[in-house]
Amino acid sequence: MSLPDTLAAKPAAQAAAAARRWLAAWGAFTRLRTKLTVLYVALFGAVLLVVALSVFAAINQAAQRQVRAELTATGTVFDRVWSLRSDRLREGASLLSKDFGFREAVATHDGATIVSEVENLKQRFNIDRAFIVTSDGHMIGDDTARLAGDGARLTKAFDNAQDPSGVVMLGGEPYQVVGAPVMSPDHIGWLVFAVKLDGAEMAALEKLSAIPLRASVMHRDDKAWRLAGAAGPDGAKLSAFVDRELAKHINTAEPLSERGGKSLALVKPLPSLTKAAPAVLVLRYPLAQALAPYRPMLAIVALAALAGLAVVGWGSFALARGITRPITALDEAARRLQRGEEAQVEIETEDEIGRLAGSFNTMATEIRDRERRITHLAMHDGETGLPNRLALERVVEALSDRPEGQVYVAALGVHRYDHLRGAIGYTLAAQALRMVGNRLAGLAPASGVARVASDVLGFALVAANRAAAEDDAQRLMRELEAPLQVGGDVIDVTLHLGLAPLERGPGPGAALERANIALDQARGGKRKVAFFDAEAYGDPATNLALMSGMLRALDDGAIDLFYQPKFDMRSRTVTGVEALSRWRHPDRGMLSPDLFIPMAEETGHIRTLTEWVFKRAIDAQAQLAAAGNVVNMSVNVSGRTLGEPDFADFAMDQAKRAKGGLTIEITETAVIENPEVALAMLDRFAEAGISISIDDFGTGLSSLAYLKRIRGQELKIDKSLVAGVTESQRDALIVRSTIDLAHSLGLKVTAEGIETNDCYSLLSAMGCDLAQGYLIAKPMPLKDLIVFLADEERNARYG
């Protein structure tokens, strides 16, 4: 890897490592143990914080109260000192101003005498300034040169003041001054004693306080309060603070925020010589310095809180670990239980968690037992106790790795099991089936015998090839059909077996389905053993798709009606035709009605097809009548349609359009399926003038009882009997008996499937009424039928 790639990869690696650390920290925080520890520590920390804040607030309030008291006391002391000094200065100035010699010196402007007297008194009273200011503002004294500019202002202030004392600005600095008038005899000037309110003076005042406060004198000019050394933001804040305090007229200390921190400040107004230049005394004390004595105690409290927090944290962690350890064990056991593994938790305590662990162990045991029962129920048949289809599919799937052609899925069916169950009861029939299954399991122990249907057992058969599988199946059938001892009685069972090879693609379920189909093929072919015949079975998916296209075929003309003539043997004319459906499929060619009509019955499309045939047949009858051929039209109706009561309304409504006779052809089985509804419908047809023809007589099990109850007009002998009438005396006897029976019941007889003149002549001699078959004509389209009926020479061709 190149250096740039390495440098580029470093941030990504660092980000990934940070993400892993974050996920690990988050994962740790999501644990209950961590949550409990953090919760307890946080709660204790919150309590400690509240206590610490309360202690600090109490100490802060106490310190502020103490500072306020000291500031107030210092202010009081300053007031006393100011008053005493003012009295002393006023007394000294008054004595000197009344001295005759001093007044004479002032009157004569004897500077030397004035200076001498003033300096003497200045030393005695420890005064910073002492001088004379005359009525015209002239100042006489030892150090008045710097103050000469303030003479006129000072004279004016003394003249206007009620009490010639107070604070005044001299030379730009504040002074406490006291003035005494000099009279000689008129007022000629003022004797002024001044004490400078400088740092030394404030320091002396600060020494009088029990706390190290800061004292300062502020004066106001046109804009703000001024303090030497205070400028910028601090000076502005201090000036605004003085204005607020003076406006309150309350002589108490209040908090003041400065650049150095928060202080408590007390503002005391000072007596001013002029109202235009007021002055105040500001006493300040920093809160941090007030709290300084308490800092060791606060530090001890903080250390004790940290130690307590650490102890609580350790105790919380130990407690949380003790609580969460069994919970973690329960969680791990629950995960094992979820995976289907053995899950038991050791019970360490008798508290709620211990009881929870005991309940979990009980639950895990019950779940394991219940799963075994559920699995057994899911894999076994409830009636016989044999394994079920799912169990067989798993056995077959386990054999799927063998080479193809060596594993066969077999379906063993009990012949007429429903009759057996009706004869001996459900319980004994299930017992008989279980005995067959147990016998099969004993003969083929690795076969996975299972009940896959009410009368079918499935199993897997392993053989070298198809021939070996058939030999094994025949051997099993001989063994399995031995009599059974059921309920103290011996019964015989007849079995059929269907086999289907296991293929890798479809899987065991498809193989079992094919085995069941092979069983049906064995039963249908009356064979003991049959292999699945795909060609005979066909393609159900294709046939189902065929049905989905039938309705479309009715609309686009792919399904049409063909008509087969019915020839009257006595009048030797065609008196009727039978409408037969034909489907010319675009892909599969001409489809036999035997293919799509049964499927239409099963899929529910037969009603639509029957109604379509009715309408088309009656329309065709009208066209035949228009061409001069009035014939009877026969339409086939299935048993499923005959079982729908509202079909009679449709049929009779269509019969009103008929241009000739209308016959409905039905089979006996159509009546047998739902006799009450079918017979009632046939009675309605008969009353409406619609003839009834009993079709396919002689096939299956013909019931004379139903034949007697049907109000029919025609009986059609099936072609299976007609075909052998010239070759089999037995068939001829049956046909002759059937004709006689029909005539005795007042029915006409139509013979189907007549293909030779010999057959025609014999049936005519037996008294048959109508002939239908290829000898007369094949089914044909309507246009060909019209041409056929126009041939007048055809009657001489038969017999």
Side-chain angles (χ1 to χ4, degrees):
M1 181 181 292
S2 62
L3 181 59
D5 293 340
T6 303
L7 295 176
K10 283 185 176 180
Q14 293 173 355
R20 286 192 297 270
R21 289 193 299 270
W22 186 88
L23 289 174
W26 177 252
F29 184 76
T30 56
R31 295 175 182 172
L32 179 60
R33 178 175 59 190
T34 306
K35 289 182 178 180
L36 289 175
T37 303
V38 172
L39 176 63
Y40 293 151
V41 172
L43 290 175
F44 187 74
V47 172
L48 288 179
L49 181 61
V50 171
V51 171
L53 292 177
S54 301
V55 170
F56 179 78
I59 292 175
N60 187 50
Q61 292 295 328
Q64 289 190 32
R65 284 195 300 272
Q66 182 180 0
V67 171
R68 282 192 177 94
E70 290 294 334
L71 289 175
T72 302
T74 302
T76 303
V77 170
F78 179 80
D79 289 342
R80 182 62 177 166
V81 171
W82 181 278
S83 178
L84 290 175
R85 188 163 55 189
S86 295
D87 292 344
R88 185 168 57 88
L89 293 177
R90 186 177 293 108
E91 181 182 357
S94 178
L95 290 175
L96 182 60
S97 64
K98 293 177 180 181
D99 183 78
F100 178 80
F102 181 76
R103 285 188 296 171
E104 185 69 21
V106 173
T108 60
H109 295 287
D110 184 0
T113 302
I114 293 173
V115 170
S116 174
E117 291 291 337
V118 168
E119 284 296 325
N120 183 34
L121 198 60
K122 178 180 175 182
Q123 295 296 326
R124 286 176 54 194
F125 287 94
N126 194 20
I127 302 171
D128 295 323
R129 295 281 189 271
F131 56 88
I132 292 294
V133 56
T134 63
S135 298
D136 57 1
H138 179 70
M139 300 181 72
I140 303 172
D142 186 38
D143 53 356
T144 58
R146 288 193 311 109
L147 305 179
D150 296 323
R153 179 173 59 81
L154 189 60
T155 299
K156 183 178 179 181
F158 279 127
D159 292 341
N160 295 329
Q162 293 181 356
D163 182 11
S165 66
V167 178
V168 69
M169 297 297 295
L170 298 176
E173 294 179 338
Y175 284 84
Q176 180 184 2
V177 298
V178 172
V182 179
M183 309 295 293
S184 182
D186 295 328
H187 182 259
I188 60 174
W190 293 87
L191 172 61
V192 180
F193 286 173
V195 177
K196 187 176 182 181
L197 300 176
D198 56 3
E201 183 70 15
M202 294 298 103
L205 178 62
E206 292 170 358
K207 291 180 180 179
L208 298 176
S209 174
I211 58 175
L213 53 79
R214 288 182 296 166
S216 55
V217 174
M218 298 183 68
H219 68 280
R220 182 163 183 102
D221 57 15
D222 295 337
K223 296 181 179 180
W225 292 92
R226 303 297 180 185
L227 174 65
D234 280 350
K237 289 181 180 180
L238 189 57
S239 175
F241 176 78
V242 172
D243 284 335
R244 287 195 303 272
E245 293 301 305
L246 292 177
K248 292 179 182 178
H249 301 289
I250 299 176
N251 193 20
T252 59
E254 297 295 334
L256 171 64
S257 297
E258 296 180 287
R259 186 166 47 188
K262 185 174 286 188
S263 304
L264 281 177
L266 177 65
V267 178
K268 291 185 67 64
L270 297 177
S272 296
L273 190 62
T274 62
K275 294 182 179 180
V280 293
L281 173 66
V282 179
L283 303 177
R284 289 175 290 171
Y285 188 76
L287 285 178
Q289 195 169 353
L291 294 175
Y294 301 98
R295 285 174 184 169
M297 183 179 66
L298 292 175
I300 293 173
V301 171
L303 290 176
L306 291 176
L309 191 63
V311 171
V312 169
W314 178 85
S316 300
F317 180 79
L319 177 62
R321 183 175 59 183
I323 293 175
T324 58
R325 185 173 63 251
I327 296 178
T328 302
L330 282 170
D331 178 59
E332 294 175 355
R335 294 178 185 275
R336 291 197 302 272
L337 186 62
Q338 181 183 11
R339 295 192 297 267
E341 301 174 1
E342 183 70 20
Q344 290 291 316
V345 180
E346 182 179 356
I347 301 176
E348 299 179 352
T349 60
E350 296 182 357
D351 55 9
E352 290 84 352
I353 296 179
R355 291 194 295 272
L356 176 62
S359 300
F360 177 84
N361 291 337
T362 303
M363 179 189 69
T365 302
E366 292 180 353
I367 288 176
R368 189 165 55 252
D369 295 340
R370 188 159 54 248
E371 282 183 349
R372 282 197 290 265
R373 292 194 299 270
I374 292 174
T375 303
H376 183 271
L377 291 174
M379 303 292 288
H380 289 78
D381 175 60
E383 189 176 15
T384 62
L386 295 172
N388 59 12
R389 180 188 181 115
L390 179 60
L392 176 59
E393 288 183 359
R394 292 189 177 182
V395 172
V396 175
E397 187 174 4
L399 297 172
S400 61
D401 57 346
R402 289 176 173 268
E404 288 192 13
Q406 293 188 5
V407 179
Y408 295 84
V409 178
L412 180 68
V414 179
H415 184 60
R416 302 186 69 185
Y417 180 76
D418 292 340
H419 293 80
L420 175 65
R421 188 167 54 189
I424 66 176
Y426 279 73
T427 303
L428 292 179
Q431 182 180 348
L433 190 63
R434 181 173 63 251
M435 293 175 68
V436 174
N438 293 335
R439 183 181 292 177
L440 178 59
L443 295 172
S447 59
V449 178
R451 187 182 187 183
V452 296
S454 61
D455 60 342
V456 180
L457 299 176
F459 63 98
L461 185 63
V462 179
N465 49 48
R466 181 186 177 100
E470 185 170 6
D471 292 341
D472 290 344
Q474 295 290 353
R475 176 183 58 82
L476 289 174
M477 294 296 285
R478 290 191 297 270
E479 299 282 349
L480 292 172
E481 287 190 332
L484 299 172
Q485 186 79 23
V486 180
D489 297 319
V490 178
I491 64 172
D492 294 327
V493 291
T494 302
L495 305 174
H496 297 279
L497 184 65
L499 291 169
L502 177 63
E503 299 177 358
R504 295 192 183 280
L512 184 55
E513 292 295 333
R514 291 194 298 270
N516 279 289
I517 296 169
L519 174 61
D520 292 337
Q521 292 172 343
R523 287 169 170 170
K526 297 180 175 57
R527 292 173 289 172
K528 286 295 183 184
V529 179
F531 282 87
F532 173 69
D533 188 348
E535 184 176 352
Y537 179 59
D539 188 356
T542 303
N543 294 334
L544 185 61
L546 194 67
M547 285 298 96
S548 65
M550 191 188 75
L551 299 179
R552 197 165 52 248
L554 292 175
D555 294 332
D556 60 20
I559 295 180
D560 199 0
L561 287 184
F562 279 40
Y563 305 90
Q564 188 172 26
K566 298 171 69 174
F567 188 76
D568 191 321
M569 292 183 173
R570 291 184 177 82
S571 65
R572 301 185 67 81
T573 58
V574 174
T575 58
V577 294
E578 180 181 0
L580 301 170
S581 301
R582 294 292 185 268
W583 186 352
R584 190 177 298 278
H585 196 275
D587 299 324
R588 302 173 63 176
M590 187 65 74
L591 299 178
S592 170
D594 295 337
L595 174 62
F596 65 87
I597 289 181
M599 294 183 61
E601 291 180 344
E602 295 300 326
T603 57
H605 290 78
I606 191 63
R607 173 68 180 269
T608 303
L609 179 61
T610 301
E611 291 182 355
W612 179 86
V613 169
F614 249 86
K615 294 176 182 178
R616 290 294 298 269
I618 293 176
D619 291 341
Q621 187 184 38
Q623 295 182 42
L624 289 172
N629 301 299
V630 179
V631 295
N632 186 80
M633 180 63 68
S634 297
V635 178
N636 290 279
V637 176
S638 72
R640 186 178 295 273
T641 304
L642 201 63
E644 300 177 5
D646 62 331
F647 176 73
D649 298 329
F650 167 80
M652 289 189 293
D653 184 63
Q654 292 296 317
K656 297 175 183 178
R657 301 192 301 114
K659 302 299 182 180
L662 180 63
T663 299
I664 293 177
E665 295 191 7
I666 62 172
T667 62
E668 281 185 283
T669 56
V671 178
I672 294 173
E673 288 178 1
N674 195 351
E676 298 301 327
V677 176
L679 290 173
M681 187 180 295
L682 293 178
D683 290 341
R684 292 184 63 188
F685 288 156
E687 293 171 0
I690 301 175
S691 300
I692 306 298
S693 175
I694 302 172
D695 196 11
D696 298 336
F697 189 82
T699 61
L701 299 174
S702 298
S703 172
L704 295 179
Y706 282 108
L707 185 62
K708 179 181 68 173
R709 296 180 61 187
I710 297 174
R711 294 175 59 181
Q713 286 76 35
E714 181 184 45
L715 186 144
K716 298 183 73 173
I717 302 176
D718 188 72
K719 60 184 178 180
S720 61
L721 288 178
V722 173
V725 73
T726 58
E727 299 177 359
S728 172
Q729 185 177 0
R730 184 183 183 87
D731 286 353
L733 179 60
I734 293 174
V735 172
R736 177 60 182 267
S737 301
T738 302
I739 293 173
D740 292 341
L741 174 64
H743 285 163
S744 65
L745 293 174
L747 302 175
K748 288 185 177 182
V749 178
T750 299
E752 294 183 301
I754 299 177
E755 298 183 0
T756 64
N757 281 319
D758 293 339
C759 181
Y760 178 91
S761 299
L762 182 59
L763 289 169
S764 179
M766 290 180 180
C768 185
D769 300 300
L770 298 170
Q772 189 176 5
Y774 282 5
L775 177 67
I776 308 301
K778 294 180 179 181
M780 63 188 75
L782 180 61
K783 62 179 182 178
D784 295 340
L785 178 62
I786 294 175
V787 174
F788 174 81
L789 294 177
D791 186 1
E792 297 179 356
E793 299 179 358
R794 67 184 185 280
N795 298 342
R797 299 174 186 171
Y798 316 121

